[in-house]
């Protein structure tokens, strides 16, 4: 289970793992090999997170909104319309000149508000003087610059549904498909293909926080995640771990794979207002470079404290997950997931370290895709939804671990950038017949237990 229930929050801007701080979200580079396609090593290169100039996430101390007469209604479970109405009203009040907070900034610069998991807002075009005024205000817990990140390139093999259903290897590895009827998974990602015939999408509760008012997936990443969790057990396509469970699309990434990380805070705020303790949240996003964001981590903790379980991708930077948000969070009901390959090999790209709770299949995973299709891609983004499905079905078990390091097979040829070099086939070999540079293992020295139902 959890290696530690301690939280390590760095109250400084570093680099994100899937929502963190305020920035534009993404999951680390997803390498997208399918069983027949070669993988170029340059597809898993890292990139730095980028700050959004002048844009900040401001978290107020608990109770400040209530004391100022601005608190949102926190009764029974909300619905989409009630949540949007309440936060919209809060935004209007915060933008009012006489809101009573006296924050020392132009209130018209406030662009978004949240009041359930956290109390606070997002502000744009702030001056240095305004930022300094906010940081000195005793009513404020944290002020962090929002960041922009993008998803890695996805180029797997896309196919339409076959006339018979396929059981992906990862589903078999975690114990096979269970019955997810009546259960709900909240997918914080790029949206979900709302009319995919192999998914049971809860369109009534799905929301886009990406500024387009449309939770439909334009990227494919979120649809792939949703299918691994809950693809329907029928006669087409694939099947998910918690087959037939409802999936709610919480869109925080645009079609180009970019988003503001503050959108993730809003998505978690929405989950806090709407989800029940039996539900599970999947967060397959994060930065490629090191980044910690306290706003996102605080929101994760608030959701977890409500009894809602969260499965979080460890990240694909082959680095210590302790440096990436929200993967770094260690707490009850928070599960950080590393990636394994078929045969229980360590996935060469996966992050590792003390935050990791389990490993799950994350290499060459087939799942649902855009336009009713299917795709095979790789990443800890693919591992996390396996764990989310297991958590939906009950208490997780384990079966084996990832003691085997990855041994890449490759050939020489022209890479996508036109240079001549190694083209990795994406297969794992049983012996170390390659150079040390091609040898990847879990650097923390602790074998991650593989989750299963």
């Amino acid at each position: 289970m959890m290696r530690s229930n301690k939280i390590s929050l760095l109250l400084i801007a570093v680099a994100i793992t899937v929502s963190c701080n305020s920035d534009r979200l993404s999951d680390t580079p997803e390498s997208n090999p399918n069983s027949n396609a070669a993988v170029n090593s340059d597809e898993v290169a890292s990139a730095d997170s980028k700050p959004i100039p002048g844009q900040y996430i401001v978290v107020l101390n608990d109770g400040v909104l209530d004391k100022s007469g601005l608190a949102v209604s926190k009764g029974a479970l909300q619905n989409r319309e009630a949540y949007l109405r309440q936060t919209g009203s809060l935004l209007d009040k915060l933008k009012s000149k006489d809101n009573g907070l006296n924050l020392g900034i132009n209130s018209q610069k406030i662009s978004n508000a949240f009041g359930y998991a956290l109390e606070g807002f997002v502000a744009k075009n702030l001056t240095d003087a305004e930022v300094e005024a906010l940081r000195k205000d005793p009513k404020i817990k944290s002020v962090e610059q929002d960041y922009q990140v993008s998803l890695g390139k996805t180029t797997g093999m896309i196919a339409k549904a076959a006339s018979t259903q396929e059981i992906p290897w990862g589903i078999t590895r975690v114990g096979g498909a269970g019955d997810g009827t009546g259960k709900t998974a909240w997918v914080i990602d790029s949206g979900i293909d709302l009319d995919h015939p192999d998914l049971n999408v809860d369109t009534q509760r799905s929301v886009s926080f990406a500024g387009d008012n449309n939770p439909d997936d334009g990227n494919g990443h979120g649809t792939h995640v949703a299918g691994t969790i809950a693809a329907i057990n029928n006669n087409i396509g694939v099947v998910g771990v918690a087959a037939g469970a409802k999936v709610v699309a919480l869109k925080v990434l645009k079609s180009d794979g970019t988003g503001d990380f503050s959108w993730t805070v809003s998505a978690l705020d929405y989950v806090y207002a709407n989800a029940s303790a039996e539900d599970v949240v999947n967060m397959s996003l994060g930065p490629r470079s090191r980044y910690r964001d306290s706003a996102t981590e605080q929101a994760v903790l608030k959701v977890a404290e409500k009894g809602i379980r969260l499965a979080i991708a460890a990240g694909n930077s082959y680095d210590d997950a302790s440096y990436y948000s929200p993967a770094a969070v260690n707490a009850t009901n928070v599960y950080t997931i590393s990636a394994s390959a078929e045969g229980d090999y360590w996935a060469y790209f996966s992050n590792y370290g003390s935050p990791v709770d389990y490993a799950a299949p994350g290499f060459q995973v087939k799942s649902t895709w855009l336009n009713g299709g299917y795709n095979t891609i790789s990443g800890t983004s693919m591992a996390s939804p396996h764990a989310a499905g297991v958590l939906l079905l009950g208490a997780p078990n384990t079966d084996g671990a990832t003691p085997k390091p990855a041994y890449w097979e490759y050939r020489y040829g022209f890479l996508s950038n036109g240079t001549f070099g190694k083209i990795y086939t994406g297969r794992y070999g049983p012996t170390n017949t390659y150079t040390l540079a091609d040898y990847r293992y879990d650097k923390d020295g602790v074998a991650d237990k593989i989750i299963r139902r």
Side-chain angles (χ1 to χ4, degrees):
M1 301 289 255
M2 302 300 299
R3 292 184 183 168
S4 167
N5 284 334
K6 295 181 179 179
I7 300 168
S8 164
L9 284 180
L10 301 182
L11 299 180
I12 57 174
V14 216
I16 341 182
T17 289
V18 141
S19 348
C20 331
N21 216 312
S22 53
D23 322 329
R24 285 195 188 166
L25 282 180
S26 130
D27 175 85
T28 37
E30 276 346 4
S31 63
N32 324 341
N34 60 69
S35 57
N36 301 310
V39 187
N40 291 339
S41 58
D42 58 347
E43 289 185 358
V44 295
S46 64
D48 291 334
S49 304
K50 297 180 180 180
I52 303 173
Q55 186 162 312
Y56 290 81
I57 302 175
V58 180
V59 178
L60 301 167
N61 290 317
D62 293 345
V64 167
L65 292 181
D66 188 42
K67 292 177 182 177
S68 304
L70 302 174
V72 295
S73 175
K74 294 183 179 180
L77 291 181
Q78 303 288 308
N79 56 43
R80 178 175 62 186
E81 288 69 27
Y83 176 85
L84 295 176
R85 183 170 60 251
Q86 288 287 327
T87 53
S89 175
L90 173 59
L91 176 61
D92 291 340
K93 292 175 182 177
L94 289 173
K95 295 181 75 169
S96 172
K97 293 181 180 179
D98 55 353
N99 60 40
L101 291 180
N102 300 317
L103 297 174
I105 66 171
N106 180 350
S107 61
Q108 295 305 303
K109 294 182 178 182
I110 298 175
S111 62
N112 189 32
F114 39 88
Y116 290 87
L118 300 177
E119 299 180 12
F121 57 87
V122 180
K124 297 182 177 181
N125 303 313
L126 293 182
T127 65
D128 291 345
E130 288 175 317
V131 173
E132 187 63 21
L134 290 171
R135 286 177 171 156
K136 290 180 177 179
D137 194 313
K139 297 186 294 295
I140 292 174
K141 182 182 296 184
S142 63
V143 180
E144 297 175 293
Q145 188 162 21
D146 216 346
Y147 269 69
Q148 181 185 51
V149 177
S150 5
L151 284 169
K153 185 172 63 174
T154 48
T155 57
M157 179 175 289
I158 300 173
K160 291 294 183 181
S163 57
T164 58
Q165 181 175 264
E166 174 183 347
I167 302 177
W169 78 266
I171 305 301
T172 300
R173 181 63 188 86
V174 299
D179 184 5
T181 303
K183 301 180 184 301
T184 300
W186 303 75
V187 181
I188 300 178
D189 212 291
S190 63
I192 299 174
D193 183 357
L194 300 180
D195 55 2
H196 198 293
D198 216 359
L199 293 173
N200 181 14
V201 185
D202 185 344
T203 57
Q204 293 303 308
R205 290 192 288 177
S206 295
V207 182
S208 175
F209 298 95
D212 59 359
N213 198 33
N214 181 10
D216 203 13
D217 189 1
N219 179 278
H221 190 271
T223 301
H224 196 280
V225 165
T228 296
I229 298 172
I232 300 169
N233 192 359
N234 49 24
N235 62 353
I236 63 169
V238 297
V239 64
V241 180
K246 287 184 179 180
V247 285
V248 184
L250 302 183
K251 186 175 182 178
V252 297
L253 297 169
K254 297 182 292 185
S255 297
D256 64 358
T258 66
D260 294 7
F261 270 106
S262 53
W263 297 344
T264 302
V265 175
S266 291
L268 289 164
D269 195 58
Y270 179 73
V271 168
Y272 186 92
N274 286 276
S276 63
E278 300 80 35
D279 297 347
V280 170
V281 178
N282 190 85
M283 300 180 71
S284 285
L285 1 135
R288 300 186 191 180
S289 55
R290 293 181 175 189
Y291 193 94
R292 292 290 298 273
D293 171 59
S294 68
T296 298
E297 295 189 4
Q298 289 174 62
V300 165
L301 289 170
K302 287 289 188 179
V303 170
E305 287 170 4
K306 197 175 180 181
I308 301 164
R309 288 174 289 184
L310 300 97
I312 300 175
N316 305 336
S317 300
Y318 191 54
D319 194 5
D320 191 332
S322 299
Y323 296 108
Y324 298 76
S325 292
V329 176
N330 263 332
T332 301
N333 294 324
V334 179
Y335 300 82
T336 298
I337 310 300
S338 63
S340 63
E342 194 167 5
D344 294 352
Y345 287 97
W346 173 256
Y348 73 99
F349 48 78
S350 183
N351 283 358
Y352 48 81
S354 60
V356 173
D357 300 293
Y358 297 104
F363 186 77
Q364 296 183 347
V365 173
K366 186 173 185 178
S367 186
T368 47
W369 200 250
L370 301 181
N371 302 314
Y374 298 83
N375 197 0
T376 302
I377 57 178
S378 299
T380 56
S381 278
M382 285 61 256
S384 181
H386 282 89
V390 170
L391 293 169
L392 264 184
L393 296 174
N397 295 304
T398 62
D399 176 15
T402 54
K404 304 176 184 178
Y407 302 99
W408 274 99
E409 295 180 6
Y410 59 85
R411 62 182 174 81
Y412 282 94
F414 286 99
L415 305 179
S416 58
N417 61 7
T419 61
F420 190 81
K422 293 178 182 177
I423 299 177
Y424 292 89
T425 63
R427 292 190 296 270
Y428 286 88
T431 59
N432 183 16
T433 58
Y434 311 115
T435 66
L436 184 61
D438 305 318
Y439 176 87
R440 284 290 184 92
Y441 59 97
D442 185 346
K443 289 178 72 174
D444 66 8
V446 178
D448 296 340
K449 295 179 180 179
I450 296 174
I451 194 170
R452 66 168 293 141
R453 68 183 189 89

